Amino acid sequence: MKNWWLRRSVRFRLALWYAAATALVLFAFAWFVYEVIEHRLAAEIDRQLRIDFDLMEAQLEIDTEGRMHWAVRGSHGDEGFARMSAWFEVWSENGELLLRHWPVPEANIKDAPPAPHGSTLKFATVELERGLFVRMMERPGRVRGRSVIIRVFRDETETRRTLSEIVEVSLLGFPLAVALAAIGGYLVATRSLAPLNAMARQARRITSESLSKRLPNPNPNDELGSLATVFNETLTRLEASFAELQRFTSDASHELRSPLTALRAVGEVALRDGHDPTMLRETIGSMLEEAQRLTDLVDSLLTLARMDATKAVATREELNIPALLEEIRDQFEVLATEKGQTLAVTSNHNVLVKTDRTLLRLALVNLVHNAIQHSPSNSKISLATARRPSGVDISVSDSGHGIAPEYHEKIFEPFFRVDKARSRSGSGGVGLGLAITKRAIERNGGRIIVESELNRGSVFRIELPVDRSAART
Ligand code: ADP
């Protein structure tokens, strides 16, 4: 049953729910109306019976022979009518019938009610014969000083007919109303869900080649509209990621091609004209240089790919940042000295932070390498760390040529270089260093920002959060 229900369309299910709810409401309403009318009609008959009783009691007489008889005293000559419709019995207290007046022949009555016992006020509905229901009121009275029990009757046929008419009308109208509700519900649901079909049709047309298409969204304020909005936003993000991926692939291919082309060109020239051993040695040297470039590039690409593939940071250990900075300074000491630069570590505190050592080291190595590369000789490069209330700051500052503000965001994109020609010809990389650095820091829950002015140097600041750190003095 559950499966059957789930296999139906939403429209069908909504229509069915709608019809069921309508049926329930209608049933409750009809039942309520029936109960109210029945109660009112019954109360009215009982009220009439009380009036009848008073009239009867006043109109009963006992003649000289002690027999009970009915003296009709109609004031408008309506005795005939009164005689026809009056319906009563007079009983003695010991259960003897003294007078009976029924408007129907007594012989027709098969189940006459038995003699009364007890002398209290009583109301009852009795079926005198099949289908003939009467309401009866029994009450003690006095006729000329004699105690009697008087019963008055009223036909219930009309009341019952009214009630059965209500039932009939309800039974006839009920299926009709439910069917109308079901059809109405189906139509309303079809109309309301129409945009969903349009969305599904459009979504089917969207492929990786047409990610710029969007779902139709005629009313962004309703539920379907907000679904379309969310879906369209997802498409926008997907499109951006896809474009980024495409750009990355084409940049990577381009970067891989350049050294390969150079390798081939150098090789071909050497093969053609290379008779001189000195020249051949030179050729092999430059070929090895290009091979080294390729190796570096592939290594960087692999690092990036690995970082993107695994989301969680594998190891998180408590790290002494000043000690790590000293270690990096020692590593680059020779390179800096060659360029006449000085590397200084500034730290007042023994700053500890819980982080992934390899990733943080990789980030810092890239930053210091860049600082050395982009600073003039005889300049100073500082590595500093400080505690903040919400975490730990690590900065790498140089007084090099700086970065123009419009590139502050872009330098973290893969393959972006401010001056491509210079990087390619010099010892510069392929523009993956800062992209790797940014990912490494973000994987540690931190962020990296650059503050730089053209010709005044740059500061790269890493902010690691406190919840991942255990900084203490
Ligand atoms: P690369 O491998 O070419 O150094 P990066 O991603 O490390 O690539 O850096 C991207 C670009 O950012 C570099 O080409 C350079 O123009 C600029 N850049 C990075 N660090 C510095 C710095 N300390 N001073 C000036 N420019 C920098």
Side-chain angles (χ1 to χ4, degrees):
M1 177 68 191
K2 199 176 171 206
N3 278 347
W4 177 86
W5 178 249
L6 290 178
R7 261 186 270 124
R8 300 303 109 187
S9 70
V10 174
R11 268 177 298 174
F12 182 79
R13 279 189 271 164
L14 278 178
L16 229 57
W17 272 115
Y18 197 55
T22 310
L24 205 74
V25 169
L26 270 184
F27 180 78
F29 182 70
W31 185 72
F32 177 74
V33 168
Y34 181 88
E35 285 291 313
V36 168
I37 293 179
E38 187 192 30
H39 184 259
R40 303 251 351 138
L41 289 177
E44 179 56 25
I45 286 192
D46 290 355
R47 196 182 68 85
Q48 292 289 347
L49 282 172
R50 283 173 199 275
I51 297 171
D52 289 352
F53 177 90
D54 290 343
L55 277 173
M56 285 339 306
E57 194 182 30
Q59 291 178 354
L60 286 171
E61 295 282 356
I62 298 174
D63 61 16
T64 43
E65 285 154 31
R67 276 182 311 192
M68 185 74 59
H69 73 100
W70 180 33
V72 189
R73 279 190 289 273
S75 52
H76 305 291
D78 57 352
E79 287 90 348
F81 176 73
R83 275 197 180 282
M84 264 168 60
S85 58
W87 193 336
F88 65 93
E89 284 174 347
V90 185
W91 296 78
S92 72
E93 279 191 316
N94 47 21
E96 186 192 342
L97 181 65
L98 301 176
L99 183 63
R100 171 176 273 168
H101 186 279
W102 285 3
V104 282
E106 242 176 84
N108 288 355
I109 306 303
K110 294 182 186 67
D111 306 314
H117 48 246
S119 48
T120 47
L121 172 64
K122 233 185 263 168
F123 284 96
T125 297
V126 284
E127 188 176 12
L128 293 182
E129 57 177 72
R130 241 178 93 78
L132 177 59
F133 287 89
V134 290
R135 183 80 173 157
M136 174 183 90
M137 183 182 113
E138 187 179 293
R139 188 177 162 181
R142 289 189 85 76
V143 177
R144 301 267 158 223
R146 182 173 172 189
S147 293
V148 288
I149 295 168
I150 302 171
R151 271 178 178 171
V152 280
F153 299 84
R154 271 198 174 241
D155 194 349
E156 269 193 356
T157 311
E158 271 310 305
T159 315
R160 285 178 175 262
R161 188 173 301 144
T162 308
L163 289 174
S164 66
E165 270 169 14
I166 291 176
V167 173
E168 275 164 28
V169 168
S170 305
L171 284 179
L172 267 178
F174 194 75
L176 201 73
V178 172
L180 279 177
I183 294 168
Y186 191 81
L187 292 179
V188 169
T190 308
R191 247 186 110 82
S192 318
L193 295 175
L196 205 62
N197 288 336
M199 282 185 213
R201 271 198 304 277
Q202 175 71 346
R204 233 173 255 133
R205 279 191 222 120
I206 298 175
T207 60
S208 59
E209 279 80 44
S210 56
L211 273 177
S212 58
K213 282 189 182 145
R214 293 291 174 268
L215 295 191
N217 192 358
N219 181 7
N221 300 319
D222 67 7
E223 289 83 349
L224 294 182
S226 56
L227 176 72
T229 308
V230 170
F231 195 82
N232 285 342
E233 282 167 5
T234 311
L235 279 177
T236 307
R237 283 198 299 275
L238 260 178
E239 192 186 7
S241 315
F242 222 74
E244 197 185 322
L245 202 72
Q246 272 172 343
R247 207 168 42 242
F248 184 87
T249 317
S250 90
D251 284 350
S253 326
H254 184 77
E255 291 298 336
L256 284 166
R257 238 184 106 147
S258 308
L260 284 173
T261 315
L263 267 175
R264 251 188 47 199
V266 172
E268 275 167 10
V269 170
L271 210 61
R272 204 176 53 228
D273 322 315
H275 308 297
D276 177 10
T278 327
M279 187 210 164
L280 278 176
R281 285 182 75 83
E282 254 172 43
T283 306
I284 291 169
S286 72
M287 283 175 100
L288 284 176
E289 216 172 84
E290 291 301 334
Q292 185 56 47
R293 254 181 194 289
L294 268 176
T295 314
D296 291 348
L297 174 58
V298 171
D299 280 350
S300 300
L301 283 173
L302 268 175
T303 311
L304 261 185
R306 273 196 210 109
M307 266 197 257
D308 284 344
T310 48
K311 288 282 166 261
V313 170
T315 47
R316 218 183 267 291
E317 56 187 289
E318 201 160 65
L319 205 64
N320 187 341
I321 302 295
L324 179 68
L325 295 183
E326 302 273 356
E327 191 185 312
I328 290 169
R329 186 200 48 203
D330 296 345
Q331 181 184 337
F332 283 99
E333 193 83 74
V334 181
L335 192 64
T337 318
E338 262 176 25
K339 284 192 80 174
Q341 296 161 335
T342 44
L343 275 176
V345 173
T346 331
S347 165
N348 299 332
H349 308 288
N350 183 19
V351 186
L352 292 171
V353 67
K354 252 202 157 125
T355 190
D356 185 306
R357 187 178 204 280
T358 321
L359 287 179
L360 186 60
R361 194 172 195 290
L362 178 67
L364 287 168
V365 163
N366 281 337
L367 292 181
V368 175
H369 191 264
N370 278 350
I372 293 176
Q373 213 176 340
H374 298 286
S375 301
S377 46
N378 298 320
S379 64
K380 183 180 162 189
I381 294 158
S382 310
L383 311 179
T385 179
R387 276 188 337 161
R388 278 179 297 115
S390 57
V392 165
D393 277 0
I394 308 168
S395 62
V396 178
S397 338
D398 62 59
S399 41
H401 56 74
I403 304 156
E406 65 263 33
Y407 299 131
H408 284 190
E409 291 279 323
K410 285 196 151 296
I411 50 170
F412 294 103
E413 288 174 10
F415 300 109
F416 182 83
R417 280 159 290 178
V418 175
D419 187 348
K420 277 202 178 191
R422 193 168 56 182
S423 316
R424 183 84 190 97
S425 59
S427 56
V430 289
L432 285 176
L434 286 180
I436 292 175
T437 303
K438 186 167 190 253
R439 277 178 178 68
I441 298 303
E442 283 172 354
R443 292 278 304 281
N444 268 318
R447 63 176 195 144
I448 179 165
I449 43 176
V450 60
E451 289 155 10
S452 179
E453 258 183 77
L454 268 182
N455 304 321
R456 301 196 65 164
S458 318
V459 180
F460 283 86
R461 205 171 64 241
I462 296 169
E463 292 175 1
L464 292 174
V466 78
D467 57 336
R468 304 256 162 86
S469 67
R472 53 173 192 264
T473 320

